[in-house]
Amino acid sequence: MPLITESYDSLPYVDRAPNDTETAAAHELIASSLSPDAESVMHPLMLDAPATSFSPLIQSELDRVAANEPLKAIDLRRYEANTTSLTPDASALKAAYVNSSYLTLRLQALELLEQFGKNAWLVANDQLESLLKEVEKELVETREATTEVNRERKRAQEGRRGELEGGERVWRAGVGGLVEVQVATVDVERRWRERLRGAG
């Protein structure tokens, strides 16, 4: 059984748009429920907005945008054909030569990119793939060598287990004998001192 059994099919539909009188009455009702300075008074729990501060460069850019000034970061006139002067003076010829040289070099660069770019990209990808395979092969070999070293170490330790255990037993027996000697030495010193006292 569903938890929500209400049906919203009986909600009224808006058959007509409200007229100006109804809209004005709604605005008057909203205005009457608000205090006169409700729009200008903030809620007492609202904090004051922090003062905004920008770097001089950002501030100058904001001022430029506010003044609707165009961006002048790059001078595009040097890449345009010089059609302002019809008299062949030295500056016009120089600008035309610069434009022609720039466009010629750009066309050559695009032709070289079209001719050799794809092959250079494929060769670079092939070299990177070969380098990746070599690194992966070296990584596998290093891991195998590390595993073999650990196996050899384990085999060497397992093969010398009896020798290590025998050495440990000898060491413990030696330490035990040394302790016994020290205890006997202390006992001899105690008896010697007692005899000295008895003789004195």
Side-chain angles (χ1 to χ4, degrees):
M1 179 178 177
L3 296 176
I4 300 175
T5 58
E6 292 87 1
S7 175
Y8 298 101
D9 292 338
S10 61
L11 290 176
Y13 295 98
V14 177
D15 295 330
R16 62 180 178 81
N19 55 28
D20 295 338
T21 306
E22 292 174 342
T23 303
H27 284 302
E28 281 185 21
L29 184 61
I30 292 172
S32 66
S33 64
L34 297 175
S35 60
D37 55 350
E39 295 182 358
S40 60
V41 176
M42 297 294 291
H43 191 275
L45 296 180
M46 290 292 293
L47 301 175
D48 294 335
T52 57
S53 61
F54 301 102
S55 65
L57 185 62
I58 298 295
Q59 188 61 47
S60 64
E61 186 64 18
L62 291 175
D63 295 339
R64 182 194 65 77
V65 172
N68 291 326
E69 295 178 0
L71 179 63
K72 298 178 181 178
I74 301 174
D75 186 11
L76 300 176
R77 291 177 298 175
R78 61 185 297 181
Y79 304 112
E80 297 174 357
N82 189 7
T83 58
T84 57
S85 176
L86 298 177
T87 60
D89 57 352
S91 62
L93 289 175
K94 183 178 179 181
Y97 177 72
V98 169
N99 290 334
S100 175
S101 300
Y102 168 75
L103 293 175
T104 302
L105 291 174
R106 182 176 179 185
L107 182 61
Q108 289 178 359
L110 290 174
E111 288 175 353
L112 290 173
L113 182 63
E114 179 68 24
Q115 185 178 0
F116 301 108
K118 180 180 179 182
N119 291 335
W121 181 71
L122 291 174
V123 168
N125 281 348
D126 188 50
Q127 290 175 349
L128 288 175
E129 188 174 350
S130 300
L131 183 62
L132 178 62
K133 287 181 180 178
E134 290 179 4
V135 170
E136 288 178 347
K137 181 180 177 183
E138 185 178 352
L139 177 62
V140 170
E141 292 175 354
T142 305
R143 286 180 177 170
E144 290 177 355
T146 304
T147 304
E148 187 61 29
V149 167
N150 288 333
R151 286 177 185 163
E152 289 290 334
R153 186 167 162 242
K154 183 177 180 181
R155 280 196 293 267
Q157 289 181 356
E158 289 290 336
R160 300 192 175 215
R161 177 184 298 235
E163 183 180 345
L164 292 173
E165 290 178 352
E168 187 175 358
R169 283 195 297 270
V170 171
W171 176 78
R172 287 182 181 174
V175 170
L178 180 63
V179 170
E180 291 176 0
V181 168
Q182 288 178 349
V183 169
T185 303
V186 170
D187 188 40
V188 168
E189 288 181 357
R190 181 179 56 80
R191 291 180 183 175
W192 181 68
R193 287 178 183 168
E194 289 178 355
R195 282 189 183 178
L196 287 177
R197 289 178 189 165

